[in-house]
Amino acid sequence: MKTFKSFGSLLLASSLIFSSIGNAVACTSLMMTDLNGNAYHGRTLEFSSIIPTAMTYFPAGTKIESVTPSGKQGKTFNTKYAILGMTAQALPTSKQVTFADGMNDHGLSFKVNWLNSTTGIPVTAEDSKLLSITDFGSWTLGNFKNVAELKAALESKETEFWLPVIKDFSPNPFPQHYNFVDKTGGNLVIEFTNNKMNVYDNPVGVMTNGPDFPWHLQNLNNYTFTNVDKNTGQLGKMPLATQDSGIALTALPSAQTSQGRFVKAAFYVNYVRKGKTPDEAMNLLAHVMNNFDRPYDLTIDGAGGSGDGIRGKGFSSEVTLWTTMSDLNRNQYYVRSINAMNFAVVDMNKLKSIKQIKSISSYDVDKAGADLFVVLNQ
């Protein structure tokens, strides 16, 4: 694998951070559509310490070799489609990196968010059908073009998934749930809770962290207001009038908890104007994602305790390490880190000549900027 800026050393540093510091993790994933029904997928990733991650490209035909719980050879396959996304090393025994976010070149996108209530599921299949959940992104994006194909594959049970426990990262088996979006607006959430896999159609286009997805949908019943301002009123004999617009947002949660972000994201997704063109839609998505961008020390957590992740021995502050956006019809992937305001953009249609895995540090992505395509093609 050709790498940039010693990707192997980044993975080692990442492993050391997970095992020694502990982190709180908060992410917001959301889908917006344009007036033609085309889908656009955005997300932020928050951690309470800076961890090394990378943008990685898997060309079509990349061999994926998963492992079993005992470390034996598990499911193997060659990807049908190219994959581009953000990665890290989750298991020391893994033969390939883990995608935490990404898209393929046929318009399927996925985002991984923290879920503390994740539980393991019984595994009964032979080794050749077992896939570590750390390879879930490679399997889904590498094999399926849309949500319908993915659902059918999950229902067939031709592949069984097992959830490893990563020491000192979380007491729960790999505590993540998964949001899939395709270019026509198909939207799916997959969770491993109550010792089984649960697959949900997503009617609001949003996913954050815990509690589980059905809880978030039920909680939306507490927010029946709309985006229409009520600018006048009266208390007794005193008439009331606002001095500015925006009072419709009064009841919108301001907390950065996963519960509050889910409500806020659902409001934005369902009320913000839809773009007429792909460029306009991506511009609108970028403005929406800015509302979930967390700078340093916006909130501070004390030592110990747990939330979306395990907190360390000192004070910590969750920050948005990176934000991604996917234009699923034009196969364009946008990334920016905490160190930048502008997005670097990669057009996957221009990567077809690349026949090997390539990676670049997510912070070097910012430095490359408009030259990122050139860097990937080196």
Side-chain angles (χ1 to χ4, degrees):
M1 177 173 69
K2 185 174 181 180
T3 61
F4 300 89
K5 201 173 176 61
S6 183
F7 188 47
S9 65
L10 291 176
L11 299 181
L12 175 60
S14 176
S15 175
L16 291 173
I17 288 173
F18 283 144
S19 63
S20 63
I21 298 178
N23 300 275
V25 189
C27 306
T28 300
S29 169
L30 56 88
M31 178 191 77
M32 297 181 68
T33 56
D34 62 22
L35 288 174
N36 296 311
N38 299 319
Y40 307 83
H41 200 188
R43 74 89 59 86
T44 63
L45 179 135
E46 284 76 41
F47 253 83
S48 57
S49 63
I50 300 299
I51 62 170
T53 54
M55 173 186 281
T56 300
Y57 178 72
F58 279 11
T62 296
K63 186 175 183 179
I64 305 299
E65 300 179 80
S66 200
V67 296
T68 68
S70 63
K72 296 180 180 179
Q73 181 74 63
K75 188 178 183 70
T76 64
F77 60 92
N78 292 330
T79 61
K80 298 177 183 177
Y81 312 118
I83 306 170
L84 180 68
M86 306 304 293
T87 60
Q89 185 78 29
L91 288 176
T93 56
S94 294
K95 294 188 177 182
Q96 55 276 322
V97 292
T98 295
F99 281 93
D101 182 287
M103 63 181 291
N104 66 23
D105 58 356
H106 280 66
L108 182 65
S109 169
F110 99 127
K111 315 293 184 186
V112 176
N113 291 24
W114 194 279
L115 182 65
N116 266 334
S117 57
T118 298
T119 58
I121 57 177
V123 174
T124 59
E126 59 189 47
D127 288 353
S128 63
K129 292 185 177 181
L130 287 181
L131 186 90
S132 168
I133 203 65
T134 56
D135 296 317
F136 198 48
S138 300
W139 180 73
T140 53
L141 297 181
N143 286 295
F144 308 110
K145 294 184 290 187
N146 53 49
V147 163
E149 286 187 1
L150 174 57
K151 287 180 70 175
L154 295 172
E155 291 170 358
S156 74
K157 301 188 185 301
E158 282 296 311
T159 302
E160 284 196 18
F161 313 102
W162 69 278
L163 282 65
V165 174
I166 300 177
K167 185 180 179 181
D168 296 325
F169 184 51
S170 169
N172 306 75
F174 205 64
Q176 312 290 336
H177 57 171
Y178 307 85
N179 182 208
F180 289 88
V181 170
D182 64 35
K183 61 185 178 182
T184 64
N187 201 308
L188 203 66
V189 171
I190 300 171
E191 297 180 340
F192 295 87
T193 55
N194 300 314
N195 303 115
K196 62 179 181 178
M197 179 176 65
N198 299 285
V199 180
Y200 306 104
D201 290 318
N202 188 344
V204 293
V206 169
M207 187 177 79
T208 56
N209 304 90
D212 57 21
F213 186 66
W215 184 96
H216 283 292
L217 294 184
Q218 182 67 26
N219 184 52
L220 288 179
N221 289 295
N222 294 310
Y223 301 91
T224 56
F225 58 92
T226 72
N227 63 332
V228 178
D229 289 326
K230 187 179 185 304
N231 295 319
T232 61
Q234 186 164 324
L235 285 176
K237 296 180 179 181
M238 180 179 178
L240 306 174
T242 65
Q243 296 294 310
D244 200 353
S245 64
I247 199 169
L249 305 181
T250 298
L252 203 62
S254 61
Q256 289 284 2
T257 62
S258 59
Q259 299 93 326
R261 296 194 319 276
F262 191 98
V263 175
K264 184 178 177 181
F267 192 95
Y268 275 87
V269 164
N270 288 280
Y271 285 121
V272 167
R273 180 181 301 175
K274 296 182 182 297
K276 297 177 183 178
T277 66
D279 286 340
E280 186 175 320
M282 287 301 292
N283 181 271
L284 287 166
L285 177 59
H287 281 288
V288 169
M289 297 312 302
N290 284 342
N291 290 276
F292 300 92
D293 188 3
R294 298 176 68 168
Y296 290 104
D297 296 339
L298 177 64
T299 63
I300 296 175
D301 294 303
S306 64
D308 293 333
I310 303 173
R311 299 194 181 105
K313 298 179 180 179
F315 289 94
S316 62
S317 173
E318 288 192 29
V319 299
T320 301
L321 296 189
W322 38 258
T323 302
T324 67
M325 303 190 301
S326 301
D327 182 334
L328 301 178
N329 281 269
R330 296 190 294 181
N331 292 336
Q332 294 177 350
Y333 191 67
Y334 292 63
V335 182
R336 77 173 182 211
S337 82
I338 186 68
N339 299 317
M341 280 302 296
N342 295 324
F343 285 93
V345 186
V346 178
D347 185 342
M348 292 190 70
N349 300 309
K350 298 180 179 180
L351 302 180
K352 295 184 184 297
S353 63
I354 299 177
K355 303 302 180 182
Q356 60 182 342
I357 296 173
K358 290 195 174 183
S359 292
I360 177 173
S361 161
S362 55
Y363 304 109
D364 286 339
V365 168
D366 299 326
K367 296 178 184 177
D371 295 326
L372 182 57
F373 168 74
V374 175
V375 174
L376 283 171
N377 272 278
Q378 288 177 345

